[in-house]
Amino acid sequence: MDLDVNEHEIRRNGFSVIEDVFTDTEVETILTAINNTNPKNETFRKSNDLFAIRQFLKEVPDAIGIVFNEKLKKIIKRLFGEDYFLVKSIYFDKPATSNWFVSYHQDLTISVDQKVEIAGFGPYTNKHNQFSVQPPLNILESNFTIRIHLDDTNEENGALKVIPNSHSKGMYRPETINWDVEQEVSCNVARGAVMIMKPLLLHSSSRTTNNKKRRVIHLEFSNQLLPKAIQWSEYLNFEQQSKTN
C-alpha cells in the first residue's frame, strides 16, 4: 500500500480506493456473522431492493475484530491520525435484481441520540427511531467514510459515481452541477478493497443490471466532540474494542 498516493487522492479528489485490505477468508467470516444475526430486529430494513442493518457493529459485534484488522487500522492512522473514532456503521445489501438507485447528493447529516435545539445544528430528521441532524460545516469537512466492499462492484451493480473535488466546494446543490466543468467517475471496487470518501463529495448510485449482489459496510468516522446536550448515537473506539474481540 502506497498510502502517500491515497492521501494525495483524498485531499485532491475527495476519495480513494485501496485494494486487498481484507482477505477472502475475512470477507466470508464477516458474511457468516451477518447471516447469523436475527433479521427481525428493528434496526434491520428489508425490501425487494435493499437489505440494510443500521448500527451494524452494535448488531453484529462479532464482526468488529475482523472489520478493524491491522491493515484498516494502519490506513486510518496513517491517513487521518490517532484521534478518530467510529460514529456510524451501516450494512447495505443491494440484491442482484435491485432497481434501487440514489441520485447525486452530499452526506450532510450525522446521527445523534436526541433532538436538541443548538445553534448551528439543524434541521433534524427522525427515521426508524434514529435522529439525524445537519451539523456545522467544519464537522463534515473533518469527517470521513470508509466503504468495505464484500463483492466486486462496478457500473453494472451499483458502484458509486462521484464528482472529483466536489468535496472542496462546501454545500454543493446537485441541481447546480455544471456538467460543462465537472466530470463523473465510476468508483469500481474489488471484493476485499475499501473506498475512502469525504462526506461532502457528490456521489450517486445506479440500478443493478448484471444480476450480481453489491454488499457494502459503510463506516463513518469523526474526531469532533459534539455540544454536551447531544451525543453521537453510535460511538466506538475501534482501537480498544478490536483488542477485546
Side-chain angles (χ1 to χ4, degrees):
M1 294 185 295
D2 187 354
L3 295 180
D4 287 338
V5 172
N6 300 111
E7 183 178 27
H8 177 69
E9 289 177 344
I10 294 168
R11 185 169 57 250
R12 181 186 63 190
N13 296 326
F15 71 98
S16 186
V17 173
I18 304 177
E19 305 288 346
D20 300 321
V21 178
F22 296 89
T23 65
D24 281 340
T25 299
E26 288 173 322
V27 171
E28 287 301 324
T29 303
I30 292 170
L31 291 172
T32 297
I34 293 168
N35 292 333
N36 288 337
T37 58
N38 180 3
K40 295 182 179 179
N41 291 349
E42 65 177 22
T43 54
F44 287 53
R45 174 186 167 193
K46 192 166 187 178
S47 68
N48 290 334
D49 280 337
L50 173 67
F51 173 55
I53 305 174
R54 299 183 304 279
Q55 299 197 13
F56 169 71
L57 293 176
K58 285 185 178 180
E59 295 291 349
V60 192
D62 289 348
I64 294 174
I66 307 160
V67 165
F68 291 104
N69 66 12
E70 290 305 315
K71 284 186 178 179
L72 190 68
K73 289 190 289 187
K74 177 183 177 181
I75 288 167
I76 294 170
K77 291 177 184 178
R78 171 64 181 78
L79 296 181
F80 299 100
E82 301 273 353
D83 58 342
Y84 276 83
F85 44 87
L86 178 115
V87 295
K88 189 173 184 177
S89 64
I90 311 174
Y91 168 72
F92 291 112
D93 179 353
K94 196 170 193 175
T97 57
S98 176
N99 285 317
W100 166 54
F101 77 98
V102 180
S103 58
Y104 268 106
H105 66 285
Q106 297 173 302
D107 291 337
L108 296 178
T109 64
I110 59 173
S111 297
V112 294
D113 62 340
Q114 60 181 327
K115 179 179 179 179
V116 181
E117 297 303 325
I118 301 173
F121 287 77
Y124 281 84
T125 60
N126 185 2
K127 296 181 180 178
H128 310 290
N129 297 317
Q130 173 63 71
F131 288 102
S132 296
V133 65
Q134 184 169 318
L137 190 62
N138 69 292
I139 292 180
L140 297 174
E141 289 175 335
S142 65
N143 288 3
F144 68 91
T145 296
I146 293 180
R147 292 168 57 88
I148 301 170
H149 283 250
L150 307 178
D151 298 290
D152 291 333
T153 308
N154 58 31
E155 298 97 328
E156 297 179 342
N157 67 326
L160 286 191
K161 297 177 181 178
V162 305
I163 299 178
N165 197 38
S166 53
H167 72 297
S168 69
K169 302 177 182 180
M171 301 295 186
Y172 194 158
R173 302 298 303 173
E175 62 270 20
T176 69
I177 296 173
N178 182 354
W179 291 110
D180 292 331
V181 176
E182 308 289 14
Q183 67 178 61
E184 180 181 80
V185 174
S186 177
C187 296
N188 298 354
V189 184
R191 171 184 165 106
V194 304
M195 176 185 174
I196 301 175
M197 59 181 285
K198 299 294 288 181
L200 294 176
L201 181 74
L202 278 165
H203 57 285
S204 68
S205 174
S206 298
R207 294 178 172 89
T208 298
T209 60
N210 65 356
N211 272 343
K212 293 185 178 180
K213 295 172 72 70
R214 190 215 70 179
R215 293 168 292 186
V216 172
I217 299 171
H218 172 107
L219 307 174
E220 297 181 12
F221 298 85
S222 183
N223 64 350
Q224 300 294 302
L225 297 178
L226 299 178
K228 290 183 179 180
I230 57 174
Q231 300 294 327
W232 298 102
S233 66
E234 187 176 357
Y235 171 90
L236 180 70
N237 182 325
F238 57 86
E239 185 68 65
Q240 293 180 358
Q241 187 68 35
S242 60
K243 291 177 181 178
T244 64
N245 282 271

